[in-house]
Each structure stands twice: as structure tokens, then as C-alpha cells.
Amino acid sequence: MKQIALMGCPNVGKSVVFSRLTGVNVISSNYPGTTVDFIKGSTVIGGEKFELIDVPGTYSLEPVSKAEMVAQTMLHEGDIVINVVDATHLERNLYLTLEILETKKPTVIALNMWDETRHLGIDINAANLEALLGVPVVTTCAICGTGIKELASAVSEAVPSRTITPMSEEERWLKVGEIIRDVQVVHHRHHTLWERFADTTMRPTTGIPLAILAILLMFLFIIRIGNAIIGYLMDPLFYTCYGPWIVRAVNTFVPTGLLHDLLLGTSTIESLDFEQSLGILTTGLYVPFGMVLPFIITFYFMLSLFEDSGYLPRLAVLVDTGLHKLGMHGSAIVPTILGCGCNVPGALATRILETEKQRFIAMTLMAITVPCMAQSAMIFAILGRYGMKWILIVYATLLVVYIILGLVLKRIVRGESPELLLEVPPYRRPDARTVLKKTWSRAYGFLAEAVPFVILGILIVNLLFLSGMIRILSRVFAPLLTTVLGLPEGAIAALILGVLRKDIAIGMLLPLGMTPQQLTVSCLILTMYFPCIATFVVLFRELGSRAMLKATGLMILVSLTVGILMRVLLMGI
């Protein structure tokens, strides 16, 4: 395995570059025969594995301390050198750069803190600098991830300097002055308001609270606007226009009998009930169009704004450290957020993660703890009438399970979790036409996938009721449902339908007359015990049979454990 020596003066962001390029499994140790600490890790670049060593910071290769002596030795042991340079203090850093290049080691220069040069009014011609030094030069901002991907790619282009020859100390300082005159111009400049905001959203101390606020505002917008669309548009449309018309039309052709019950359920002209009638043309159409579609549209609209404004990559950088503790990196936030809309695109989006370990953890956590927007809409609908605290209990429990399960999976799942390599674009004004087009495309995809499964689910449940299978299954699972989980026997129908559509399954809890505590436990179990059939097919295809079998067993175990614990905890509320 080739060694890459990461070298630079102290406080140039070298360790941040190191953490960006390596996975979480790094080793800190003493250099043999000394007490000087150094860190090493591994990274994969272009399909080849390298050992990356974070060399102790030094201002010169003429050592005056133990750390500098170790740095000099490590330089000669390395096969390739990445020299991290503070672009805001180029003159101070170039002396060490020239010393490194004089050794004729294959080298790449990382001009770090590149964002700060713009803020400080420093213009550096990176192309000219590359020509003068005779090695590749890459501009980076390690703290936000900008340029790290390009830096990794440039390792394969590392070459010994073609222009720098051995010099004396005086000649080096003269060379530094010549280079600075040729490549750098300094202007007086202050941060703009937009740049200050961009910096604020990237710093953990301010960025994380802003991220939490942004996500809360996003979901508040989704809930408020979604409920408004339902109350002012969809309900009047269904109950005033569509409902009476479809009941009259069906009664004209099929006034009674099995087909009538399958099409309309229990709905009549005098008593229209789109939520609980379980008719194909009533509940089967009202749930996806009247109850779920408004939330889906508003969710994908907000997601498109996050994507096109450039905020989503910044969110990935902010959560990177936390997600590493769960065996993933910051990019895993993207499939998680997509899973909040629909688990199917969320599962497919895990392809952006590099290793099987990361993908397994991300997909398993999403399938168990991330309800899709259709399911969330139903949770809001049935628990919201009892107060906001029941909704908060559901989502707080899911968050706790996400963290605990992630910590466990990180330790028991074999494999690597490499570091985040992500290009962070500047903030941009989203294009309205593009946002609306993406929102429509995603909403249409949801309808094309959801409506057939909803209708099929309603049909299957009706047939199970008519054939008496629901009663048989209720008796078989009664001990588990009533004794262990404290749910009514009729909940078995919802659990069966949950394999097809989770949102419809949660809607079926309404006619059972449950208490808020029972509804909360039911919502948690339905969220965690098994993915809907569409998500299951995608997970099976992405994970393979063995991994999917493990994930399924984990889902059942976690859902039963959480269900039992929550029943005990909620008894006193």
C-alpha cells in the first residue's frame, strides 16, 4: 500500500483535510523511538487504497524540535506528498513548500482556506502558481468540503517538481518573493452580507441550530399548507362534488350486493365517509388524492428549494460528524430526507454512499425509523385530534431508535465507512420553473406508484373481511396484540395492509375506537415492523437476499421491543 504524507505548517487545516480524505477508523500512535504523536488512516482513490499519514506540522525541514525531526523523516518515507498551504498566508507557507519540492517527491499542493481568500480580498492565480511550482495545485476549503474531491483525484497526477531545484535559505526566500509577486494581488474588501450568512450556516455552532430551525420550518410549512389544501380544496371537492356523484352512479348500475360494497364500502348519499368506508372508489381514491397528495406536493416543493438553493450539501457537511458515529457520513442525510417523502427514492439514493456497510445501515435505519410523507400525513391526521404531544412522542421515539440502532449497527456490521467527499456549491437563487417541474415530476411518480397499491390494498382487505380471514387471523394473533401490545384484535387488518400501504393501514386504525396511547403504539409498530411492498422490492434489489433477511429480522425485533416498551411507558400518560 502506498503512503501519502499530508504535510504543512501548523494551523493550516491539515487535520481537517485528513479527516475529509480518510474514514473514521484512524489510528493515533507515537512515532517509533519518540513521544511525537501522529495519525494515520486509509483512503481509496481511483480504486486504489492508500495509507494517509497526518505528519506533525512544521514550518521547515531544518528541524529544531522532535516534531520537526519526525516530519522530516516521514517525508522521506512517504511515496506521495500532499502539501496543505494556508492560502490566506501564502508567503509564510511557501518556504516549506519549496523545501518539499526540492526533495523531488511526487507532490500535490492543496491551497486551503480558499473561501477566506475571497472574503479577505486576496486574488491568487492558481494556474500560474501551478506552472511556477511544477506540480498540481488544487484550491480547497476543508471545513466545508469544497475541492476535496478534486484533491483526491489529483493524487494520481502527483509528480516531482519540474521547475524547483535545490536552493539555499536566502535563495528560497527570494524565490518566495518572486512567486508572490507573480501570483497574488491583495485588495481591500469586506465580507458581503450573503457571504456572512453562508459562513454562518456552515459553522457547527450556528449552522446546526439553523439547520434544526430550517427543518422544523419546512415541516411546519408542509403541515400548515397541506392541511389548508385539504380543508379548502380537497374535502369540498370530494364531499360536495365527487362523493354524491359517484354514489348515485354506482347505485344506478349496482344498487346492492358484493360489487356495490367493494366499490363504495359503507358510504351512502346521506352518510359519506371517505376515510373509513373502505370502498375502492371512496377511500381508495380519497386517501391518495385527498389526504396524502397535498402533503406530498408541499414536501417535494420544499425539498426542491433546499436542493436548488445549495443548502442540502451544507446540511450534509453539518451532520457529517454525527452520522459518522452511526457508521455513515454526511451524504446519508440525502436519502433520509428523500425517505421522508417516499422510502423508494430514499432507498435508491443510498447509491451515493460508497460502501456496503454504509448502504446497509442507511437503508435499514430509513426503513425502520423514517415514515414516508403519506404515512406522516396519516399520523398527523389521526393523532393531531388528540393533541400535538402524541405526534411528538411518535417522532421523538423514532429519532431515539434511529440513534441507538445506528450506534449498534456501526459496531456489528463489518466494512468501512469512508470520509465525506462532497462538493459544496455556492448559494444560488432557485429557478421557479425548475422547482415546479421537479415537484410535479416527483408528485406524479408518487401517484403512479401509490394509487394502484391503495386500490389493491382496499380490495384485499375487503375480501379478507368477507371471507372471514380477518377473524381467523385476529384470533391467532390475539395474544400478541392484546396481551403483549395492548391493541384490539381488529388491528391485525391494519398490520396486514401495512405490507401494501402504510398510510392506508394507519387510516384503518380509526374505526377501532383506540385510545391515544394505543394509537401511538400502533403508529410506531406500523412504521417499524416492515416496509411497504414497493420499498421492500427496492431494498431486496439493492441489498440482496441475505442482507434483506437480516434487515427484516431486525425490523420485527425492533418494532416488537419498542411496542412493548412504549405500551409500558404510556400507561401512565
Side-chain angles (χ1 to χ4, degrees):
M1 192 191 309
K2 288 185 178 180
Q3 283 190 345
I4 299 176
L6 195 65
M7 298 195 66
C9 299
N11 304 314
V12 295
K14 185 165 52 66
S15 296
V16 184
V17 174
F18 175 84
S19 67
R20 289 280 173 201
L21 289 172
T22 60
V24 291
N25 298 318
V26 298
I27 300 172
S28 179
S29 59
N30 298 116
Y31 192 77
T34 74
T35 58
V36 177
D37 290 334
F38 74 98
I39 301 173
K40 65 179 178 180
S42 61
T43 186
V44 178
I45 300 173
E48 184 178 357
K49 194 168 186 177
F50 293 88
E51 184 178 60
L52 187 65
I53 297 176
D54 187 1
V55 178
T58 178
Y59 291 104
S60 170
L61 293 182
E62 298 165 3
V64 294
S65 68
K66 287 282 187 183
E68 291 178 345
M69 290 176 63
V70 169
Q72 184 185 49
T73 305
M74 285 180 146
L75 168 64
H76 294 294
E77 291 176 351
D79 299 296
I80 299 171
V81 179
I82 295 179
N83 176 212
V84 182
V85 172
D86 179 358
T88 63
H89 297 91
L90 184 59
E91 186 172 6
R92 182 194 306 167
N93 283 246
L94 278 180
Y95 186 88
L96 174 64
T97 300
L98 293 177
E99 286 188 303
I100 293 172
L101 297 180
E102 288 172 26
T103 66
K104 297 303 177 181
K105 286 279 184 180
T107 304
V108 177
I109 307 295
L111 273 182
N112 198 31
M113 305 184 189
W114 188 249
D115 57 329
E116 282 298 310
T117 62
R118 298 197 304 272
H119 300 165
L120 296 171
I122 301 172
D123 288 338
I124 298 175
N125 191 321
N128 278 359
L129 182 61
E130 182 172 304
L132 290 170
L133 297 179
V135 294
V137 174
V138 180
T139 58
T140 64
C141 172
I143 195 170
C144 65
T146 304
I148 298 297
K149 191 173 184 180
E150 289 76 7
L151 178 62
S153 300
V155 168
S156 61
E157 302 170 7
V159 293
S161 174
R162 301 180 297 272
T163 59
I164 302 300
T165 56
M167 293 175 275
S168 66
E169 180 179 352
E170 184 179 355
E171 289 172 331
R172 278 191 210 103
W173 282 119
L174 288 173
K175 186 67 173 178
V176 167
E178 292 173 4
I179 293 173
I180 292 297
R181 284 194 297 272
D182 288 343
V183 303
Q184 179 175 285
V185 178
V186 180
H187 308 281
H188 180 69
R189 186 179 182 276
H190 297 286
H191 276 45
T192 65
L193 183 62
W194 194 242
E195 287 170 345
R196 291 181 187 275
F197 173 73
D199 291 345
T200 300
T201 58
M202 288 299 298
R203 297 190 189 101
T205 51
T206 52
I208 291 175
L210 285 174
I212 294 171
L213 178 63
I215 292 173
L216 288 176
L217 289 175
M218 180 182 81
F219 279 99
L220 182 63
F221 173 85
I222 292 167
I223 294 169
R224 292 287 178 87
I225 300 301
N227 282 328
I229 294 173
I230 292 172
Y232 293 105
L233 177 63
M234 304 311 291
D235 278 355
L237 185 64
F238 271 89
Y239 281 94
T240 305
C241 304
Y242 173 76
W245 173 80
I246 194 64
V247 171
R248 291 192 188 98
V250 171
N251 285 338
T252 300
F253 297 99
V254 190
T256 58
L258 175 62
L259 184 58
H260 175 275
D261 293 341
L262 288 175
L263 293 176
L264 296 181
T266 59
S267 286
T268 62
I269 290 288
E270 298 77 18
S271 179
L272 286 172
D273 188 353
F274 285 102
E275 291 185 17
Q276 303 177 38
S277 60
L278 292 181
I280 292 173
L281 298 179
T282 52
T283 303
L285 294 181
Y286 177 73
V287 168
F289 286 98
M291 294 183 70
V292 177
L293 184 61
F295 293 104
I296 290 292
I297 290 173
T298 50
F299 172 80
Y300 282 132
F301 175 76
M302 292 302 296
L303 180 63
S304 298
L305 285 180
F306 272 40
E307 286 177 330
D308 291 3
S309 66
Y311 184 68
L312 205 55
R314 285 170 169 79
L315 186 59
V317 172
L318 281 172
V319 301
D320 182 55
T321 301
L323 288 179
H324 261 307
K325 298 183 185 299
L326 308 183
M328 302 172 285
H329 59 53
S331 290
I333 196 65
V334 176
T336 302
I337 292 179
L338 284 173
C340 291
C342 177
N343 279 185
V344 171
L348 293 173
T350 59
R351 293 175 180 175
I352 65 175
L353 303 174
E354 294 85 353
T355 66
E356 291 185 9
K357 175 178 179 175
Q358 288 180 313
R359 289 192 290 271
F360 177 83
I361 294 175
M363 281 189 264
T364 302
L365 291 179
M366 184 193 68
I368 293 176
T369 65
V370 179
C372 65
M373 184 47 62
Q375 188 177 350
S376 292
M378 295 301 298
I379 293 173
F380 298 152
I382 70 170
L383 289 179
R385 64 190 69 185
Y386 298 105
M388 192 66 186
K389 74 173 184 179
W390 300 105
I391 297 175
L392 292 177
I393 288 173
V394 169
Y395 285 94
T397 303
L398 292 174
L399 177 60
V400 170
V401 173
Y402 184 95
I403 294 171
I404 294 176
L405 188 57
L407 292 171
V408 172
L409 289 176
K410 177 194 173 183
R411 298 183 184 280
I412 65 175
V413 178
R414 294 181 179 179
E416 296 183 348
S417 297
E419 184 52 72
L420 176 66
L421 294 177
L422 179 68
E423 182 67 30
V424 179
Y427 278 118
R428 297 185 180 92
R429 181 184 300 172
D431 178 66
R433 183 176 180 181
T434 303
V435 169
L436 293 175
K437 187 175 180 180
K438 289 168 72 173
T439 302
W440 160 247
S441 175
R442 288 166 168 169
Y444 178 81
F446 161 78
L447 289 175
E449 184 260 322
V451 175
F453 279 109
V454 170
I455 293 174
L456 177 62
I458 296 293
L459 176 62
I460 290 174
V461 169
N462 274 310
L463 292 176
L464 289 174
F465 270 115
L466 293 171
S467 65
M469 283 299 298
I470 291 292
R471 289 190 296 272
I472 296 172
L473 292 171
S474 296
R475 286 195 296 270
V476 171
F477 289 97
L480 175 64
L481 288 173
T482 58
T483 306
V484 179
L485 299 174
L487 305 178
E489 293 183 5
I492 187 63
L495 291 172
I496 293 171
L497 186 57
V499 177
L500 294 171
R501 288 293 305 180
K502 294 287 188 76
D503 45 347
I504 298 296
I506 292 177
M508 289 182 62
L509 301 174
L510 285 172
L512 302 179
M514 292 190 189
T515 64
Q517 292 89 337
Q518 289 176 313
L519 286 171
T520 300
V521 173
S522 300
C523 288
L524 284 168
I525 292 173
L526 278 168
T527 299
M528 295 187 290
Y529 86 108
F530 200 77
C532 69
I533 190 65
T535 305
F536 178 83
V537 171
V538 173
L539 291 177
F540 184 84
R541 189 174 64 197
E542 295 294 313
L543 292 175
S545 56
R546 288 185 62 186
M548 188 63 222
L549 189 62
K550 294 176 185 176
T552 302
L554 200 59
M555 293 172 198
I556 296 172
L557 176 63
V558 170
S559 62
L560 288 176
T561 303
V562 172
I564 294 169
L565 289 175
M566 291 305 296
R567 184 204 175 185
V568 174
L569 292 173
L570 294 176
M571 285 178 64
I573 297 180

